[in-house]
Amino acid sequence: MPSSSGRSLIPTRFTQRRSETYRGWWVVGAVTLVAFSQVAFFNPVLGVFIGPLQEDFGWSRTEIGVALSIGTLCGAVLAPLIGSRIDRHGARAFLTVAVLLIGICLLLLSAVQEIWQFYVLFSIGRAVVIGLTNLAITVVIANWFIRNRGRATGVTLVGVRGAGVLMPLIVLLFLSLADWRAAFLALGVLVLVLGVVPPWLFVRRRPEDLGLRPDGDPAPLPPADGGAVPDSADADPRWSVRQAVHTRAFWLLLFGTSQIFLVGGAVNLSIVPHLQDNGLGQTTAITVITVWAAMGVVGGIFGGELRQRLPVRAALPASMVVIAIAIGWLVLIENAWMAYLFAIWHGLAFGAMLPLTQVIFPDYFGRWSVGAIRGAMAPVQFGFNAAGPVLAGVVFDSRGSYDLAFLAFVGAYLLAAVLIAFAKPPRHPGAPPPPATRTPR
């Protein structure tokens, strides 16, 4: 806990010394557990509950998907209000309270009897994930890392994909031993045990608050002429929201990533029921989604490392093209081997894409206002995200299949790849103009 002077009272072994691990990696570990916890309100986990909820209550897939959309829209409203506050005050308290709310909502979901109760509880949990934890994790990593931002984000995404492996299996286990109510209870207890304490212990706003520098870099030596020592902002210009929205890159990234939000939410929710509709049993379908999530762990690490070696402007569109082709393959699945091939193929590519979508905003606009900038984008991005599951559900309810929706999503991903590829990183208004080049005679 911090003292009144703002210094950390965490034991000395967790503070930065030249011979020790950079404190930022302890921060990464804490937010990785938060990332793990938030997956309880991600689409693939809800997808596993669709069948049991339909059996018990007779709710349609569109009705169940509406809960996801309501929560996503509420998160879209929350994010702009919270983003600048996370920039200003840090994410420690926000993340601790957020995980507590997520766990409580899961426990209460085990007792729902009416669809309005399901809507209220699921929407609160989903809104906290969309509008708070997702945003805060990005801000934390962006502030503690610049050079190793991709690698740190890739590690954090291990929590997301690892939960994608474990949580469907936990749900399946409790469905076989008891019922869906016990499964919600189990997820709630797991989240409260793993996710509440670590952010309170380890997360701090920025390394500079503890006398450190991003990536654990040593302080630079003073210039020979006796001038001021450059600070951490030198390699990371201070963009404001107002400055960012006046760039072409902001709008290309906004509408490019919005396609990702549209498609990702719908496809990830629909994988398990789509496979069951195509003749695979529940156990096989959940095993496929588990393999898919496990491949996402590998893909997440690969995507983080890819950012260390390639411009994100090139790496992200490439991953999206691979995902688009995989969604086309999803339409063709007729048996288990085709489903497992999809799980490996799409899982690796989707996992690689996730850290790239997280780092692209601080890479383009710096770390100092990334919460506010992401918050300004949130209403559009999560508006698309909310529309995805409803669109897929309406297509299914009217045609008895997701195929038409999936084919439209292929086109959306290809459009997004083009938009992001054309998003040239902007020059900060305060940066000196590039040197003039002399035309050879």
Side-chain angles (χ1 to χ4, degrees):
M1 296 176 64
S3 68
S4 59
S5 63
R7 291 290 182 180
S8 173
L9 297 183
I10 292 174
T12 305
R13 66 180 181 275
F14 294 133
T15 60
Q16 173 69 17
R17 291 180 180 176
R18 183 175 295 275
S19 60
E20 294 178 351
T21 301
Y22 172 47
R23 168 69 185 274
W25 293 110
W26 289 99
V27 175
V28 169
V31 297
T32 297
L33 291 174
V34 175
F36 180 98
S37 301
Q38 70 177 357
V39 173
F41 283 94
F42 275 23
N43 301 22
V45 177
L46 178 59
V48 181
F49 282 101
I50 285 178
L53 290 173
Q54 284 185 303
E55 290 177 10
D56 269 20
F57 296 113
W59 302 338
S60 71
R61 295 184 187 182
T62 301
E63 288 176 313
I64 295 171
V66 165
L68 196 67
S69 298
I70 293 172
T72 301
L73 290 174
C74 291
V77 173
L78 178 64
L81 303 176
I82 227 78
S84 61
R85 289 171 173 79
I86 296 174
D87 288 328
R88 189 178 310 118
H89 303 295
R92 179 192 184 198
F94 289 106
L95 287 176
T96 303
V97 173
V99 178
L100 187 62
L101 286 173
I102 290 169
I104 292 171
C105 285
L106 289 168
L107 296 179
L108 294 176
L109 277 166
S110 67
V112 299
Q113 299 292 340
E114 305 290 341
I115 195 166
W116 69 265
Q117 298 168 340
F118 180 75
Y119 283 168
V120 169
L121 293 171
F122 196 91
S123 296
I124 292 172
R126 177 71 176 178
V128 169
V129 166
I130 292 297
L132 208 167
T133 60
N134 226 3
L135 177 61
I137 289 169
T138 300
V139 174
V140 170
I141 298 300
N143 275 296
W144 281 82
F145 296 89
I146 298 176
R147 188 180 63 257
N148 291 314
R149 187 175 287 154
R151 184 168 294 134
T153 305
V155 172
T156 304
L157 265 296
V158 170
V160 175
R161 310 324 294 169
V165 174
L166 291 177
M167 286 189 179
L169 292 179
I170 291 170
V171 174
L172 179 62
L173 173 64
F174 280 88
L175 288 176
S176 63
L177 295 177
D179 57 14
W180 60 268
R181 297 182 186 276
F184 272 125
L185 278 173
L187 291 181
V189 171
L190 180 66
V191 164
L192 293 174
V193 169
L194 290 182
V196 174
V197 175
W200 182 258
L201 287 180
F202 298 112
V203 173
R204 297 296 183 270
R205 187 182 59 157
R206 295 191 182 103
E208 290 88 348
D209 295 345
L210 302 178
L212 307 175
R213 292 172 62 83
D215 299 294
D217 290 342
L221 296 173
D225 61 6
V229 177
D231 69 14
S232 302
D234 292 343
D236 210 28
R238 295 177 182 261
W239 285 87
S240 67
V241 176
R242 182 183 296 273
Q243 290 169 332
V245 298
H246 284 90
T247 66
R248 179 171 174 264
F250 177 93
W251 297 101
L252 289 172
L253 292 180
L254 172 59
F255 288 106
T257 56
S258 293
Q259 307 306 312
I260 299 174
F261 281 77
L262 171 75
V263 178
V267 171
N268 296 352
L269 176 66
S270 306
I271 291 174
V272 169
H274 174 72
L275 295 178
Q276 292 179 272
D277 293 340
N278 285 19
L280 278 69
Q282 181 188 58
T283 301
T284 302
I286 295 177
T287 305
V288 167
I289 203 71
T290 303
V291 172
W292 172 81
M295 291 299 100
V297 174
V298 179
I301 296 172
F302 174 73
E305 292 299 319
L306 196 62
R307 181 269 182 186
Q308 301 295 121
R309 292 163 174 78
L310 288 175
V312 67
R313 178 188 176 191
L316 181 54
S319 69
M320 294 170 68
V321 171
V322 176
I323 294 171
I325 300 171
I327 295 173
W329 177 260
L330 182 60
V331 175
L332 304 175
I333 290 176
E334 296 179 346
N335 50 49
W337 76 262
M338 297 178 76
Y340 284 114
L341 178 59
F342 167 82
I344 296 170
W345 176 359
H346 187 275
L348 286 170
F350 192 79
M353 182 188 70
L354 290 179
L356 297 172
T357 59
Q358 296 288 336
V359 302
I360 195 167
F361 300 103
D363 276 7
Y364 272 58
F365 300 111
R367 65 194 174 106
W368 302 95
S369 298
V370 66
I373 292 170
R374 287 294 309 274
M377 292 181 165
V380 176
Q381 290 175 328
F382 293 122
F384 274 81
N385 190 245
V390 174
L391 175 62
V394 169
V395 170
F396 179 86
D397 290 343
S398 63
R399 301 178 64 89
S401 168
Y402 290 111
D403 291 354
L404 182 62
F406 289 162
L407 291 174
F409 293 155
V410 170
Y413 257 117
L414 295 177
L415 171 62
V418 172
L419 292 174
I420 293 172
F422 278 98
K424 182 180 179 181
R427 185 172 64 87
H428 190 274
T437 56
R438 184 183 300 272
T439 304
R441 295 183 181 276

